[in-house]
Amino acid sequence: MRILISADMEGATGVTWTDDVVPGTEQWQRFRRLFTGDVNAVVRGLHAGGASDVLVNEAHSSQRNLLLEDLDDRARLLTGRHKPLSMMQGIDSGVDGVVFLGYHAGAGADGVLSHTYLENQITGVWLDEVPASEGRLNAALAAEHGVPVLLVSGDDRTCEDAADYAPGAQLVAVKECVSRYAAICLPPSRTAEMLSAAARASMDRAVRAPGAAAAHRIEVEFDASHLAQAAAVVPTVEQTGVRRVGFDAASMTEAMKAFKVVTAIAAGAVQGKYG
């Protein structure tokens, strides 16, 4: 049984504000340890449930956050940026299940550090007319490869979202959202137990099915008109509103690659304090 962990950081144990997840800050150095601890707890549970190989794909920011020297030695770590499938690199490698660890609510939704790809320039994303978090987008990509989502961890709002897009997955709320920058947090000793137990139980669903590609449409709304104008330069991307763009793709894989381009161009169009 081969399992992929897509490891984001905003939904990790104890994380509540910007400095906790921005590379280079003192707080980030502290939370790298807690983040790695969450991953190790899941790796332990997956192996206890029968996993023979666990690949951990770093999915946050620089994608160089986890501490390799502290990682469970039964895991392998995919670290670094510029991966074709970004957060989901490895989903096409024959894995039997995927874990969304440390995930968060989507742009425009209530939740600790909620966003979708860009931290604050995107106010909403829709997949086939349904509001879409990173989790929903990534679950659709996993489904295209026949890979079930086994477990989702993050705050309580993240788990509510995941109950809809991955109804059979184990859900672990490591904190309760109070606001975008505040949460009621559980200590790592407790979240480790919860994550390990859920990971072990999730292995009952680790069965890869035949995949199938299908057409999808993604729409993105920004907080400023010039970002939509910049993104609309991409072939196949049309500006559908003052701050909104949309595009169609023949598969979820192609849709996510296009989405990655759209967000990169929009990020490059942000100018100082005025955005």
Side-chain angles (χ1 to χ4, degrees):
M1 285 289 183
R2 303 178 59 222
I3 308 299
L4 173 69
I5 298 177
S6 173
D8 206 355
M9 195 172 184
E10 288 88 355
T13 294
V15 167
T16 58
W17 75 308
T18 306
D19 280 10
D20 295 344
V21 296
V22 173
T25 67
E26 183 178 348
Q27 281 291 97
W28 171 72
Q29 290 288 5
R30 173 193 173 202
F31 279 97
R32 294 177 75 190
R33 296 193 297 274
L34 272 68
F35 183 28
T36 305
D38 281 4
V39 169
N40 285 341
V42 169
V43 172
R44 287 194 298 272
L46 293 174
H47 275 278
S52 56
D53 178 77
V54 179
L55 174 63
V56 182
N57 178 30
E58 286 223 40
H60 174 69
S61 188
S62 64
Q63 297 173 16
R64 294 180 174 89
N65 306 279
L66 291 168
L67 297 171
L68 180 62
E69 59 271 29
D70 293 340
L71 191 67
D72 189 304
D73 61 12
R74 293 168 293 183
R76 296 181 296 135
L77 180 64
L78 173 53
T79 185
R81 295 187 64 191
H82 308 304
K83 297 170 284 197
L85 295 180
S86 191
M87 298 179 76
M88 292 293 281
Q89 189 67 34
I91 197 67
D92 56 352
S93 64
V95 295
D96 300 293
V98 62
V99 172
F100 294 168
L101 182 146
Y103 271 43
H104 50 82
D110 194 19
V112 177
L113 295 176
S114 58
H115 69 281
T116 305
Y117 269 59
L118 303 185
E119 290 83 354
N120 56 24
Q121 285 80 35
I122 292 176
T123 58
V125 176
W126 293 262
L127 174 63
D128 302 325
E129 301 185 346
V130 177
S133 60
E134 291 171 8
R136 184 178 293 276
L137 294 171
N138 291 341
L141 182 56
E144 183 165 285
H145 292 277
V147 179
V149 178
L150 304 180
L151 183 157
V152 180
S153 74
D155 69 3
D156 56 325
R157 307 303 170 85
T158 303
C159 291
E160 290 170 9
D161 180 40
D164 185 59
Y165 69 71
Q170 295 284 321
L171 306 175
V172 179
V174 300
K175 55 199 167 191
E176 181 183 340
C177 174
V178 173
S179 73
R180 182 172 173 80
Y181 301 117
I184 299 170
C185 299
L186 296 174
S189 59
R190 289 185 59 186
T191 60
E193 292 179 359
M194 295 161 59
L195 289 165
S196 289
R200 180 172 185 170
S202 77
M203 285 298 295
D204 289 344
R205 299 184 60 252
V207 179
R208 187 171 72 255
H216 292 278
R217 180 171 179 81
I218 291 180
E219 295 194 16
V220 184
E221 185 177 79
F222 299 98
D223 65 357
S225 60
H226 72 286
L227 302 184
Q229 294 163 7
V233 172
V234 179
T236 76
V237 176
E238 59 176 338
Q239 188 168 355
T240 60
V242 175
R243 295 180 291 108
R244 191 161 174 155
V245 299
F247 59 88
D248 297 293
S251 68
M252 196 60 200
T253 299
E254 294 305 311
M256 288 304 293
K257 288 180 178 179
F259 181 62
K260 184 178 178 181
V261 173
V262 165
T263 57
I265 288 181
V270 173
Q271 297 290 318
K273 291 184 178 180
Y274 284 85

